[in-house]
Amino acid sequence: MSGNLSKHVKTALIVGGGVGGPAAAIRLAENGVTVDLVDIEENWGAAGTGVTLSSLTCRALCDLGFADDLIEKGHLHDGLTMCDPVGNVINDIEAPRLYSPDVPGEGGVMRPVLHDMMVNRMRDLGVTIRTGTTVTALEQDGLAVTARFTDGTTGTYDLVIGADGLFSKVREMVMPDAPKPEYTGQVCWRAQMTLPQHWEKAKMFMGPVKVGFTPYAKDRMYLFLLENVKEKPFYKEDELLPKLRQLLMPFGGELAGIRDEMDEDTPILARPLESILIDGPWNVGRVLLIGDAAHATTPHLASGAGMAVEDAIVLVEELDKADTFEGGIEAFMARRLPRGKLVVGNSLKLGELEQEGAGMDKIGPLMGQSLAAIAQPY
């Protein structure tokens, strides 16, 4: 790019090092912006389970330059096999190859592996990274933002990006009246395990609950299961294995075998699903929210990570085209708010249908419309 970006932004601060923050740091630094990134975690990026790469997320990360890395270090494949509770195939869904005819359309990758890819790229681009650090205050005068940090230092920037997730501190600082995250009535369970040799793509089993498997490396996959729970629960560590086994009891065939092989060494996580959508500008002056800080979705379309990457790419595109900083942000919002509403809204609707016990006659068409919509250019 060689347009207007450098007129609007020469220095940027990114708060948060999940997926959206590094994506913004990479795209800004590629275009000559001096970028600082801070993350509150000291042992940054070490934790995490798999990231499902929907067609939207796969394309966005490939657009950011990670196609070869994902093929080598993740597991890319061309779709999903839908099965009944005992494993009979109901439907085979092909994923469109949105990025290139040579790159499979979707897949999975471990979060720490994706994190390492992004950190290596940021370091190559000269991004300054500080872990165990975050902002305590933001003050702006219309032209710049001064940030105070937990380590006692300050810095002044042309742009501050809050990419600090569902419970964003940046959002609280600049939008104290913004909506708070709301529990959606479901808990997402994750477990990691060996990938059966004959499985070439993702699988989903439709029973009393929805269970899916995403391959994320050559020989590994993770299970995800959505449990309907009216009141937001908290599960203790020693409850996870027996509870997940219980949730999987209605399933037979191959899935029963996978269930019975789980033991104390199986990594299991259970996370209540919460969501937020800011229905209006995601910025206050030169402080802008992206990713889950602005539009945290549930995993029904597996597009949360990809939406954050799309935010980063579109932001730099629009600031580069615009004559003014404000005009660039308005153009960014014109592209991103409708897409945020679509992904969050349809994900929540799919979750509601599951909680009502709706059949595939209702869930199927909405899923089909949603997948077609997220495949559209962003």
Side-chain angles (χ1 to χ4, degrees):
M1 294 188 189
S2 56
N4 293 323
L5 179 66
S6 60
K7 284 198 316 198
H8 310 315
V9 180
K10 293 185 176 63
T11 57
L13 169 67
I14 316 278
V15 182
V19 175
I26 287 164
R27 197 34 62 96
L28 287 164
E30 283 173 342
N31 290 284
V33 177
T34 300
V35 180
D36 292 350
L37 183 143
V38 295
D39 191 274
I40 196 166
E41 294 293 334
E42 190 69 60
N43 193 13
W44 175 50
T49 173
V51 178
T52 301
L53 307 174
S54 67
S55 54
L56 178 154
T57 300
C58 190
R59 170 178 57 192
L61 284 167
C62 290
D63 285 346
L64 200 61
F66 289 109
D68 291 344
D69 278 333
L70 291 173
I71 289 169
E72 182 192 343
K73 296 169 186 167
H75 190 295
L76 296 191
H77 40 262
D78 277 313
L80 168 73
T81 303
M82 305 272 287
C83 303
D84 71 9
V86 293
N88 299 312
V89 175
I90 302 169
N91 195 7
D92 247 326
I93 300 170
E94 284 292 308
R97 293 192 167 197
L98 298 180
Y99 174 70
S100 132
D102 311 328
V103 177
E106 59 183 45
V109 65
M110 273 308 280
R111 189 171 283 279
V113 172
L114 176 60
H115 173 84
D116 288 346
M117 292 178 202
M118 301 186 99
V119 169
N120 291 337
R121 179 74 62 79
M122 287 192 288
R123 293 203 194 285
D124 289 346
L125 289 164
V127 174
T128 301
I129 298 169
R130 285 191 288 168
T131 58
T133 308
T134 190
V135 291
T136 58
L138 296 168
E139 295 162 16
Q140 54 180 323
D141 61 7
L143 295 174
V145 186
T146 299
R148 295 181 184 281
F149 298 99
T150 45
D151 62 6
T153 60
T154 61
T156 301
Y157 303 90
D158 301 321
L159 173 65
V160 173
I161 294 177
D164 52 343
L166 180 67
F167 301 102
S168 168
K169 293 286 186 283
V170 174
R171 186 179 65 230
E172 285 179 13
M173 284 178 195
V174 298
M175 299 181 187
D177 298 329
K180 301 284 184 268
E182 287 187 13
Y183 174 59
T184 64
Q186 290 185 304
V187 175
C188 183
W189 289 78
R190 300 281 185 93
Q192 298 167 41
M193 53 202 53
T194 302
L195 176 68
Q197 285 186 338
H198 59 286
W199 285 23
E200 292 176 359
K201 51 186 178 179
K203 278 200 175 188
M204 194 170 282
F205 295 79
M206 307 305 288
V209 290
K210 184 172 78 177
V211 184
F213 293 89
T214 299
Y216 66 74
K218 301 291 175 275
D219 59 348
R220 298 288 290 169
M221 67 179 180
Y222 74 84
L223 167 153
F224 59 92
L225 179 151
L226 294 173
E227 178 194 11
N228 300 327
V229 191
K230 282 220 173 348
E231 298 294 322
K232 182 173 156 183
F234 175 78
Y235 295 117
K236 297 196 188 85
E237 196 69 33
D238 62 357
E239 295 176 292
L240 295 178
L241 179 61
K243 178 68 181 175
L244 182 54
R245 276 206 178 125
Q246 179 197 335
L247 288 166
L248 291 169
M249 282 317 287
F251 296 87
E254 199 167 28
L255 182 44
I258 292 169
R259 175 193 67 221
D260 294 342
E261 281 174 15
M262 293 191 314
D263 59 24
E264 277 70 22
D265 295 328
T266 304
I268 300 173
L269 290 172
R271 180 172 67 89
L273 296 180
E274 297 181 75
S275 177
I276 188 173
L277 174 69
I278 296 176
D279 186 2
W282 297 342
N283 72 302
V284 174
R286 285 178 171 260
V287 180
L288 172 74
L289 305 176
I290 67 168
D292 282 358
H295 50 76
T297 186
T298 57
H300 294 81
L301 297 175
S303 294
M307 286 289 288
V309 177
E310 286 185 359
D311 286 348
I313 292 171
V314 171
L315 175 66
V316 174
E317 279 180 7
E318 293 301 340
L319 284 173
D320 201 57
K321 285 193 278 193
D323 292 329
T324 64
F325 176 84
E326 293 74 19
I329 297 294
E330 281 176 20
F332 165 82
M333 286 306 304
R335 285 173 68 179
R336 298 309 296 159
L337 184 56
R339 196 157 171 87
K341 285 181 171 178
L342 171 97
V343 169
V344 175
N346 285 21
S347 295
L348 290 176
K349 185 66 187 161
L350 286 164
E352 286 164 12
L353 287 171
E354 288 172 8
Q355 290 171 69
E356 291 164 10
M360 283 309 288
D361 57 322
K362 286 190 176 169
I363 291 173
L366 180 58
M367 195 64 159
Q369 291 160 19
S370 303
L371 293 175
I374 66 174
Q376 293 302 307
Y378 58 95

